[in-house]
Amino acid sequence: MSGFFLFNKQIMLSLYFHIPFCNHKCFYCDFYSLGKFNKNQEDAFTESLLIEIDLSAKKYYKNQKIETIFFGGGTPSVLSVYNFNKIADKIKQSFDLSNLIEWTMEANPESITKERLENYLQNGVNRLSIGAQSFNNDELIFLERIHNSDEIKEKYYLSRESGFENISLDLIFSLPKQSRENWLNSLNSVFELDPEHISAYSLIFEEKTKLYNQFQKGLILPNDPDFEHDLYIETIELMEKNGLYQYEISNYSKIGKECKHNLNYWYGTDYLSFGPSAHSFIENKRFWNYRSLKKYNELLSQKIIPEENFEIINTEMSLTEAIYLQLRSKGIFLEEFKAKFDIDLLNLVNMKLEYLFHKHLNVENNILRFTPEGYSISDEITLKIMEVIE
Ligand code: SF4
């Protein structure tokens, strides 16, 4: 990350598209998506999305250069080539993509096809994020994923052969009863594939999921926190040994292959989002769409932007978010931070939290960042830092 990146955030914009369909609803997932859908629903959603792009662009777009595009969800790779092309054409007509550096598609193995991959590339998609989650078939069944380990590898190689030079794989660790060996096996399988980027999230028991329900009934229990901590620290070490450096609490990449779109979120670039449940952030206003495809379609058929609510981010909130998000990522760029908030953060931390240095925090090139141990208890340390500022 350079000062240049931060300096340019005012004139750049990122776009996010939430595709609310999956081939199956996984039992741990709390993202807004339908686990079953038909062609009519997909076509109706596509038509609504095209209208939303028109309306939102008119209201919010000020001819900024689009720096990154991200298709998430849900499973964007379930969209037919026909519908994807309609959306891509609309994006190209509506926004200035002349400075686009990254266009990511999230994809699940079962819906990756040669035809889709080639079509993505033709449209300018240059990054693929594949939801692998595990290379252990029993774990994949437990997670209710509908692919197996061989299919991940097969679709990964197909993506490479089709021409994708920037691929990320998502993994989940600390599954209930997961042994250290099983997790290391999954990690080694992913290292063998040699992707540019890996996301490794610990399993979260999100409320309103089937997983949470089973947890409440005592049928599934989370791992011991010490076991999870040790897995996490070992993961960071192994990633580094394999040429993937940690640039966020759960994200690792080869040098220069960080997800630019997510960095834009964490370092405060404006983003405009589309689709049910999608959140946008434009000129200190955060606003979000209804989390209902029905409502989304209904409003857009009347040419109404399906915004459910908004909040204005004042300086105090902006300060809190900057500390929280930047520490979780590459760290706080102290000079930029001082210029923006008029706070000498390093001085404050030195005076009151000096004991955190080395084990949990360090400063290099004027960037305050977590060590691996710091990442492992990030909320606790962030809270302490907030307290010295107040
Ligand atoms: S495929 Fe992804 S978005 Fe869809 S239900 Fe599973 S975890 Fe959620």
Side-chain angles (χ1 to χ4, degrees):
M1 168 104 31
S2 65
F4 177 75
F5 174 84
L6 294 170
F7 175 74
N8 267 298
K9 73 188 180 66
Q10 296 306 335
I11 52 165
M12 291 294 183
L13 184 68
S14 288
L15 303 178
Y16 172 75
F17 295 85
H18 188 89
I19 310 302
F21 303 118
C22 292
N23 283 327
H24 173 78
K25 187 75 193 170
C26 308
F27 89 134
Y28 59 90
C29 173
D30 79 332
F31 291 117
Y32 179 69
S33 69
L34 309 184
K36 273 192 191 132
F37 66 100
N38 58 39
K39 186 176 175 307
N40 289 345
Q41 285 171 302
E42 186 193 321
D43 291 347
F45 163 72
T46 303
E47 289 313 311
S48 299
L49 183 58
L50 301 182
I51 298 171
E52 189 189 12
I53 295 172
D54 275 338
L55 296 174
S56 285
K58 208 183 252 175
K59 183 167 178 188
Y60 292 111
Y61 184 50
K62 310 244 167 67
N63 295 319
Q64 303 98 317
K65 306 270 187 200
I66 305 302
E67 194 176 40
T68 64
I69 299 176
F70 197 103
F71 271 58
T75 308
S77 54
V78 298
L79 283 177
S80 67
V81 165
Y82 180 75
N83 280 330
F84 177 78
N85 284 346
K86 274 182 150 184
I87 300 166
D89 287 347
K90 177 61 85 178
I91 294 171
K92 290 172 198 171
Q93 287 156 17
S94 311
F95 300 101
D96 178 354
L97 303 190
S98 60
N99 274 38
L100 189 73
I101 53 171
E102 182 185 277
W103 184 340
T104 301
M105 283 298 291
E106 283 187 338
N108 279 330
E110 74 277 357
S111 53
I112 294 178
T113 63
K114 197 166 188 318
E115 188 196 12
R116 283 185 169 121
L117 291 167
E118 286 171 355
N119 188 51
Y120 296 153
L121 287 162
Q122 276 161 19
N123 272 291
V125 176
N126 58 9
R127 183 172 183 273
L128 203 63
S129 173
I130 301 177
Q133 316 313 354
S134 169
F135 284 80
N136 176 305
N137 286 336
D138 290 338
E139 290 177 0
L140 287 168
I141 291 169
F142 169 77
L143 290 169
E144 293 189 4
R145 302 298 301 204
I146 51 174
H147 58 263
N148 61 33
S149 156
D150 286 345
E151 199 172 7
I152 303 169
K153 294 176 190 164
E154 185 196 317
K155 297 303 175 66
Y156 176 86
Y157 288 123
L158 182 66
S159 306
R160 281 286 192 230
E161 283 157 23
S162 302
F164 273 95
E165 293 174 356
N166 192 1
I167 303 181
S168 175
L169 287 163
D170 277 6
L171 294 174
I172 301 180
F173 72 99
S174 195
L175 306 181
K177 298 194 184 145
Q178 182 178 47
S179 66
R180 172 176 171 271
E181 286 66 34
N182 279 352
W183 170 238
L184 296 189
N185 281 342
S186 273
L187 266 185
N188 285 328
S189 298
V190 82
F191 293 145
E192 274 170 31
L193 295 178
D194 194 27
E196 282 67 34
H197 185 285
I198 299 175
S199 300
Y201 302 99
S202 62
L203 182 68
I204 307 285
F205 289 61
E206 302 279 6
E207 280 184 37
K208 296 189 190 149
T209 59
K210 281 201 269 167
L211 171 64
Y212 191 78
N213 193 274
Q214 296 203 20
F215 161 65
Q216 281 198 311
K217 289 182 187 153
L219 298 173
I220 294 181
L221 296 176
N223 281 316
D224 175 76
D226 289 342
F227 173 75
E228 184 166 319
H229 165 269
D230 293 349
L231 273 194
Y232 180 63
I233 298 294
E234 194 170 4
T235 300
I236 298 172
E237 286 167 8
L238 286 171
M239 291 279 187
E240 200 155 306
K241 268 193 200 147
N242 285 275
L244 293 142
Y245 87 97
Q246 184 176 29
Y247 73 97
E248 199 262 348
I249 201 157
S250 308
N251 285 284
Y252 309 82
S253 81
K254 295 186 179 175
I255 301 284
K257 296 294 182 184
E258 305 92 342
C259 175
K260 313 280 183 305
H261 185 84
N262 284 339
L263 282 174
N264 280 354
Y265 286 165
W266 301 326
Y267 285 90
T269 301
D270 284 359
Y271 51 92
L272 189 56
S273 303
F274 307 86
S277 81
H279 283 56
S280 301
F281 180 74
I282 303 281
E283 291 174 354
N284 294 325
K285 177 186 169 191
R286 178 172 297 121
F287 49 99
W288 52 93
N289 283 348
Y290 283 99
R291 196 183 154 99
S292 153
L293 182 58
K294 189 164 171 275
K295 185 103 183 162
Y296 178 81
N297 286 336
E298 263 170 27
L299 290 170
L300 284 162
S301 69
Q302 300 164 53
K303 304 269 183 293
I304 298 169
I305 297 179
E307 237 173 80
E308 183 183 16
N309 215 335
F310 72 94
E311 61 180 341
I312 302 297
I313 308 301
N314 61 26
T315 310
E316 199 182 321
M317 289 159 89
S318 167
L319 170 70
T320 306
E321 289 190 5
I323 292 177
Y324 177 74
L325 293 173
Q326 295 176 18
L327 268 181
R328 284 169 64 99
S329 182
K330 288 184 159 200
I332 297 174
F333 290 67
L334 293 162
E335 225 167 90
E336 279 96 343
F337 187 86
K338 187 159 194 284
K340 183 163 182 191
F341 298 109
D342 197 20
I343 293 173
D344 188 343
L345 187 61
L346 186 57
N347 191 28
L348 286 175
V349 175
N350 261 329
M351 277 193 318
K352 301 192 178 158
L353 298 171
E354 214 253 335
Y355 65 95
L356 290 176
F357 280 109
H358 305 302
K359 185 164 183 197
H360 297 105
L361 288 172
N362 64 36
V363 181
E364 218 174 283
N365 301 325
N366 223 7
I367 302 167
L368 178 71
R369 68 170 298 183
F370 283 141
T371 62
E373 286 291 344
Y375 277 120
S376 78
I377 50 164
S378 62
D379 286 348
E380 203 178 299
I381 309 274
T382 306
L383 211 63
K384 288 184 196 292
I385 294 178
M386 302 280 193
E387 280 165 8
V388 301
I389 290 176
E390 282 162 10

